[in-house]
Amino acid sequence: MKAWIGLYDDQINFNSMSNLIERPYDLKVTTDYLNFLSETLQHHELLTQNHHPSFYDTCFTTWDFQAYSLTIDELTYTAYLILRNPYESYCGNKNTANLLLAFLFFIRDNYRLGNPFHNFRHAVDVLQATNFFLTVLEAHKSEWSIQFSAPERFALLLAALGHDLGHPATTNQVLIQSDTRIAKLFHNESVLENYHQSQFRKACVPLLEGCKLSLGEETIEYMDKLITRAILATDMAKHDDYVKELDHFDNKDDSWENKVMLGSLLIKSADISNVCRPLQTSVKWALSLGEEFKQVNQLSRVIQGEASCLDVDGCGFDIKTITADEAVKRVKGLSGSQMFFINRFASVFFKKVGENIGPIGFLYEQLEVNRRYWEAN
Ligand SMILES: [Zn+2]
């Protein structure tokens, strides 16, 4: 982790976050690489699937999406199914499916598998949530003034998938306080979010190149801007600004700026929607985030010289199968931390989201159900 966040930058030429940002970007090399992969490997054959094919067609269409019951291969395939239609309708050619899968393999490999929370599973979960919101909005479009075009919807789905790309499982605070080069490169401002958007947009270029003919350069530029703004909106330091924005959000205003605001609100809602998932799903995310915070605290102690190394001993149970009742018995402070997040951040935000974006008002209703459980336990 110290290498990745760049604490060794001065000494060794690691593949650290800052080195990746500063390395010149070569579109031809990246495009050739992705094309080479998609021409050489049949990516679908590399995926192991444990369920009947029909299972995957519907597993992502419910709000109770069970990301923890899917393997990384299955999550890759789910992401492919969500992105396939919007991608192929603009960028279709004979090798499209395999190119999209090659892109998804690249993205999943650039999420850090060892992170308890900020990993590819979280990325696909946020992608699924965003897709769910867009589908609900589309179904209510007669009562809703702001309409996303199909390329805009595709851009928002991409933003959801890439919004935490390369996350080091530390916080902006750690990066800034440790005086890392990556923090300096972004002037201590939304360091992680700037890193994610910068890296992800580079990864998207070869994919979107193929859409240039049908979409046109201007639309691709708009999509790129939407991806950037939506990812930057996930910085929790800006949370209260978005709560304030919701006070004067005009759901009849179809301007570009207002569309960007709505898109940002949807990605942001998806990003913190763990607390609004049905309780038995919500608890799994709560536990994994708790694990990551434990590691962040340990890393801070190592950096400050209070501990010699990371002592990651795991949580002692299987997050995939644990129930909420078992979890509150075994994890001290779980209900308290959930209550804190709900009271400080989620409650007022999702209440206003429901008031302004009616079709996704169900988020606040489920949040209230979960809140009552954590309060009682
Ligand atoms: Zn996230």
Side-chain angles (χ1 to χ4, degrees), residues 291-311:
E291 279 303 297
E292 191 162 300
F293 281 146
K294 216 162 78 184
Q295 292 187 13
V296 172
N297 288 335
Q298 283 189 23
L299 181 70
S300 299
R301 292 183 62 229
V302 172
I303 291 170
Q304 283 155 19
E306 292 165 13
S308 57
C309 64
L310 286 178
D311 175 22

Side-chain angles (χ1 to χ4, degrees), residues 213-313:
L213 262 184
S214 49
L215 285 174
E217 208 136 330
E218 203 184 342
T219 304
I220 301 279
E221 267 171 41
Y222 274 126
M223 288 172 74
D224 182 57
K225 277 187 193 139
L226 192 52
I227 291 171
T228 312
R229 297 273 296 273
I231 293 180
L232 289 176
T234 60
D235 182 358
M236 284 304 285
K238 306 273 192 283
H239 180 80
D240 294 338
D241 299 340
Y242 283 93
V243 173
K244 278 189 206 121
E245 285 288 341
L246 278 161
D247 283 334
H248 45 87
F249 179 72
D250 181 359
N251 59 20
K252 306 243 173 337
D253 174 5
D254 203 19
S255 67
W256 164 251
E257 264 310 310
N258 213 44
K259 273 190 182 182
V260 171
M261 178 51 68
L262 178 60
S264 302
L265 287 167
L266 293 181
I267 299 286
K268 192 174 157 44
S269 297
D271 192 28
I272 60 168
S273 68
N274 296 155
V275 286
C276 305
R277 295 279 189 182
L279 182 70
Q280 300 303 340
T281 302
S282 181
V283 70
K284 295 174 172 61
W285 294 109
L287 290 168
S288 59
L289 190 58
E291 279 303 297
E292 191 162 300
F293 281 146
K294 216 162 78 184
Q295 292 187 13
V296 172
N297 288 335
Q298 283 189 23
L299 181 70
S300 299
R301 292 183 62 229
V302 172
I303 291 170
Q304 283 155 19
E306 292 165 13
S308 57
C309 64
L310 286 178
D311 175 22
V312 184
D313 50 6

Side-chain angles (χ1 to χ4, degrees), residues 25-43 87 91 93-104 106 203-211:
Y25 175 68
D26 189 327
L27 172 63
K28 189 173 173 339
V29 170
T30 322
T31 310
D32 287 353
Y33 176 62
L34 196 68
N35 285 336
F36 169 74
L37 285 180
S38 73
E39 281 159 18
T40 320
L41 294 169
Q42 286 307 312
H43 287 77
Y87 178 62
C91 315
N93 62 46
K94 63 177 172 28
N95 204 23
T96 307
N98 203 32
L99 186 69
L100 179 59
L101 271 172
F103 168 77
L104 286 168
F106 181 80
C204 283
V205 172
L207 187 78
L208 294 177
E209 274 293 296
C211 310

Side-chain angles (χ1 to χ4, degrees), residues 118 122 163-164 271:
H118 287 103
H122 167 62
H163 83 282
D164 274 330
D271 192 28

Side-chain angles (χ1 to χ4, degrees), residues 87-143:
Y87 178 62
E88 287 187 346
S89 54
Y90 291 104
C91 315
N93 62 46
K94 63 177 172 28
N95 204 23
T96 307
N98 203 32
L99 186 69
L100 179 59
L101 271 172
F103 168 77
L104 286 168
F105 270 73
F106 181 80
I107 296 301
R108 87 174 195 180
D109 288 346
N110 280 277
Y111 270 98
R112 294 165 60 83
L113 197 60
N115 294 357
F117 182 87
H118 287 103
N119 50 38
F120 187 65
R121 177 166 283 118
H122 167 62
V124 176
D125 189 61
V126 175
L127 168 66
Q128 186 276 341
T130 304
N131 184 59
F132 192 85
F133 301 160
L134 290 170
T135 309
V136 173
L137 285 185
E138 181 74 9
H140 288 80
K141 69 177 179 192
S142 57
E143 49 199 270

